[in-house]
């Protein structure tokens, strides 16, 4: 795929002009009921080659979307971006390709494109070089602006980043692309995760004076990625920068996604010790987040994200395992009201999958476990992927020590799950719960593992990407369960079954090695 040919400037320029024309119009929100993105489904390398051949022929870039039916952020994109008239019209200037994570060959394609998390959106030049990864966490109009920048720039992100690190001059648009790049779904292909905070700080400093919003975004992302100060250290100038953003409605709106998603990490990095400075910064965040929560120009999911950030900050100095945190009564009231309002008003299936699951999570984080359970149970019949909500119910019960109830929900969620990759993922979760909550039930554990291995044998993509990791988690759970050797007989039978599966796999791309390693204890030879 990486032919390293130059991208036709006429193609990207034409696409950019198309977008520019759209931005001169009144922003469209929802498309006509009959309009939709003409996604081309890709299930194998041949489908991808066909799409790129079309792109080269028509001198168009390619937009690749990797997602899954159940995934809440994917459903958020469907509810807020993919149904916008301006986005739909823009896709006529590109070749839109969709990889469903449960489609045959999807996980192998995931390995090819280095995509793991759902959703991931990548803009490629016609010759297959990655221009940028589009951030799914920012609101829809901003995603479209980033797409416009990618189309107008045309240079692969790796080349742009290399020039930036070397101190070479970049255009303002190239700096904006780096600022908006989805580092969260970059899978460390541009930089190892441990080096990301320092790189983002380097880029922030180098972009100074080019575009203030981009510089600010890069600093905020660097702080957010710093893992409680293990990357960047507390700095008075950075603290002042954050405070100025929080105090400015326009700036905080522009940086909404970083402020909501990274609030707790930013506060921990800037104020590593509990005390007056931390309390003051949390108070300033609270004001800005409440303002975002009330901003009706944002989607429900984004407004709920701001509320969730308030809860995270309120729990900042509370143990993560605490089930009944002492939160401000007004905040608890806000969470209950937001969840009830979402449940009452949302009718779109995609939006419900995105928002209700999040609302249930935040109810739990606020200590409102009964409310969380009731919301999830009431939403089961309204969800196109109820198994996702069932697994949340299992998680709620598990945290509260209701082991039998947790196992019932995990089992039902696995039984109701659909699609080969999804079933392995849900089966992996069920296996982890079984070995932890019912380790004495050897027959049930062995039966479930045998079923998962049998299902894996039926799908050629089982030993790639997400599916491979799900199976590796199953293997790890089994080995931990048998750490004392009490279940050697069960493991031996499963290993015999697995050996028959592994022997039929290709050795060329490490499928067989992955399979053979599932029940191999670390440090032991096969």
């Amino acid at each position: 795929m990486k032919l390293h040919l130059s991208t036709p400037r006429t193609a990207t320029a034409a696409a950019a002009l198309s977008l520019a024309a759209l931005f001169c119009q009144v922003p469209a929100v929802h498309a006509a009921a009959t309009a939709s993105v003409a996604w081309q489904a890709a299930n194998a390398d041949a489908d991808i080659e066909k799409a790129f051949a079309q792109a080269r022929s028509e001198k168009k870039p390619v937009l690749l979307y990797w997602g899954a039916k159940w995934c809440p952020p994917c459903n958020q994109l469907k509810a807020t971006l993919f149904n916008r008239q301006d986005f739909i019209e823009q896709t006529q200037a590109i070749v839109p390709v969709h990889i469903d994570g449960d489609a045959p060959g999807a996980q192998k394609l995931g390995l090819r494109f280095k995509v793991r998390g759902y959703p991931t959106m990548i803009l490629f030049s016609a010759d297959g070089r990655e221009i940028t990864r589009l951030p799914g966490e920012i609101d829809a109009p901003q995603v479209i602006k980033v797409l416009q920048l990618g189309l107008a720039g045309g240079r692969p992100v790796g080349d742009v980043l290399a020039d930036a690190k070397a101190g070479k001059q970049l255009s303002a648009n190239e700096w904006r692309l780096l600022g908006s790049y989805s580092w969260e779904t970059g899978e460390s292909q541009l930089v190892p995760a441990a080096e990301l905070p320092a790189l983002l700080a380097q880029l922030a400093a180098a972009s100074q004076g080019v575009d203030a919003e981009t510089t600010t975004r890069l600093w905020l992302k660097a702080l957010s990625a710093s893992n409680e100060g293990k990357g960047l250290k507390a700095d008075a100038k950075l603290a002042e920068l954050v405070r100025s953003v929080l105090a400015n409605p326009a700036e905080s709106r522009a940086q909404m996604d970083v402020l909501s998603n990274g609030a707790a990490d930013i506060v921990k990095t800037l104020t590593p010790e509990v005390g007056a400075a931390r309390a003051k910064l949390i108070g300033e965040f609270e004001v800005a987040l409440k303002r975002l929560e009330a901003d009706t120009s944002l989607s429900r999911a984004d407004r709920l994200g701001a509320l969730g950030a308030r809860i995270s900050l309120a729990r900042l100095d509370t143990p993560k395992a605490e089930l009944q945190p002492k939160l401000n009564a007004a905040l608890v009231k806000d969470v209950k009201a937001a969840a009830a309002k979402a449940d009452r008003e949302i009718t779109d299936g995609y939006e419900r999958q995105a928002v209700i699951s999040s609302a249930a999570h935040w109810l739990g984080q606020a200590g409102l476990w009964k409310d969380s359970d009731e919301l999830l149970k009431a939403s089961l019949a309204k969800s196109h992927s109820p198994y996702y909500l069932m697994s949340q119910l299992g998680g709620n019960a598990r945290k509260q020590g209701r082991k039998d109830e947790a196992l019932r929900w995990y089992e039902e969620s696995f039984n109701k799950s659909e699609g080969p990759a999804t079933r392995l993922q849900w089966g992996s979760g069920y296996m982890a719960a079984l070995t932890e909550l019912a380790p004495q039930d050897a027959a049930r554990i062995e039966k479930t593992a045998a079923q998962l291995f049998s299902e894996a044998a039926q799908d050629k993509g089982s030993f790639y990407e997400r599916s491979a990791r799900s199976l590796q988690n199953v293997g790890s759970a089994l080995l931990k369960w048998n750490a004392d050797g009490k279940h050697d007989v069960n493991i031996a039978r499963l290993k015999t079954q697995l050996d028959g599966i592994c022997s039929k796999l290709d050795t060329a791309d490490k499928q067989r090695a992955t399979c053979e390693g599932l029940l191999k204890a670390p440090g032991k030879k096969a």
Side-chain angles (χ1 to χ4, degrees), residues 100-426:
D100 182 331
D102 280 304
Q107 296 303 317
K108 185 177 181 180
L109 289 177
L111 180 64
R112 171 176 175 171
F113 292 113
K114 295 183 175 64
V115 290
R116 293 188 176 184
Y118 301 138
T120 298
M121 294 185 290
I122 310 176
L123 182 67
F124 291 99
S125 62
D127 66 330
R129 302 190 71 191
E130 183 174 323
I131 297 174
T132 192
R133 296 201 173 202
L134 301 174
E137 69 274 10
I138 62 179
D139 64 336
Q142 285 182 288
V143 174
I144 298 176
K145 290 180 181 179
V146 176
L147 180 60
Q148 178 189 22
L149 292 174
L151 293 169
R155 280 215 299 157
V157 64
D159 294 348
V160 175
L161 179 60
D163 284 352
K165 291 169 68 176
K168 296 181 181 179
Q169 186 172 359
L170 303 184
S171 69
N173 278 355
E174 287 176 333
W175 276 118
R176 293 180 187 120
L177 266 182
L178 287 178
S180 298
Y181 182 79
S182 184
W183 301 97
E184 295 77 10
T185 62
E187 306 305 343
S188 301
Q189 64 169 336
L190 291 180
V191 60
E195 299 175 15
L196 182 57
L199 172 64
L200 291 171
Q202 178 187 351
L203 295 176
S207 68
Q208 198 78 34
V210 178
D211 181 76
E213 184 176 313
T214 293
T215 300
T216 297
R217 174 169 286 270
L218 286 166
W219 279 122
L220 291 175
K221 280 184 171 286
L223 289 168
S224 178
S226 287
N227 191 18
E228 302 181 25
K230 294 177 183 176
L232 298 187
K233 302 298 180 182
D235 180 281
K237 289 184 178 180
L238 287 179
E240 182 54 38
L241 171 67
V242 171
R243 289 193 169 94
S244 68
V245 172
L246 295 173
N248 187 307
E251 288 190 29
S252 57
R253 174 63 175 80
Q255 308 291 352
M256 169 274 302
D257 53 304
V258 193
L259 294 177
S260 291
N261 295 331
D265 291 315
I266 292 172
V267 168
K268 284 183 178 181
T269 299
L270 290 177
T271 55
E273 303 295 332
V274 178
R278 174 174 286 189
K280 182 175 186 297
L281 183 56
I282 289 177
E284 291 167 324
F285 257 101
E286 173 79 0
V287 173
L289 290 168
K290 289 182 74 171
R291 190 168 59 237
L292 292 172
E293 193 182 332
D295 188 343
T296 56
S297 71
L298 291 170
S299 69
R300 282 189 182 92
D302 289 333
R303 298 200 299 275
L304 185 61
L307 174 58
R310 292 174 59 203
I311 297 171
S312 294
L313 290 174
R315 289 185 58 113
L316 198 59
D317 301 316
T318 301
K320 291 183 178 180
E322 176 60 57
L323 296 178
Q324 298 296 332
K326 296 180 180 179
L327 303 184
N328 182 283
L331 176 57
V332 174
K333 183 179 179 181
D334 286 349
V335 180
K336 291 190 69 168
K341 181 179 174 65
D343 185 36
R344 184 173 62 251
E345 295 182 355
I346 300 176
T347 57
D348 178 81
Y350 295 135
E351 188 177 18
R352 280 196 72 86
Q353 188 71 7
V355 175
I356 295 302
S357 55
S358 182
H361 168 74
W362 292 120
L363 284 169
Q365 288 295 293
L368 301 170
W369 295 103
K370 181 180 178 181
D371 298 79
S372 178
D373 285 345
E374 289 177 350
L375 177 62
L376 290 168
K377 290 175 183 177
S379 299
L380 290 174
K382 302 175 183 178
S383 172
H384 58 61
S385 304
Y387 48 88
Y388 187 90
L389 307 183
M390 291 173 185
S391 63
Q392 283 190 272
L393 284 163
N396 282 2
R398 186 180 190 174
K399 290 172 184 174
Q400 296 173 81
R402 303 196 301 268
K403 296 182 179 181
D404 290 343
E405 181 185 344
L407 285 175
R408 284 197 300 272
W409 280 119
Y410 281 126
E411 182 177 22
E412 187 172 2
S413 68
F414 171 49
N415 289 338
K416 295 289 178 64
S417 61
E418 302 171 333
T422 294
R423 285 192 56 74
L424 290 180
Q425 183 172 338
W426 258 248

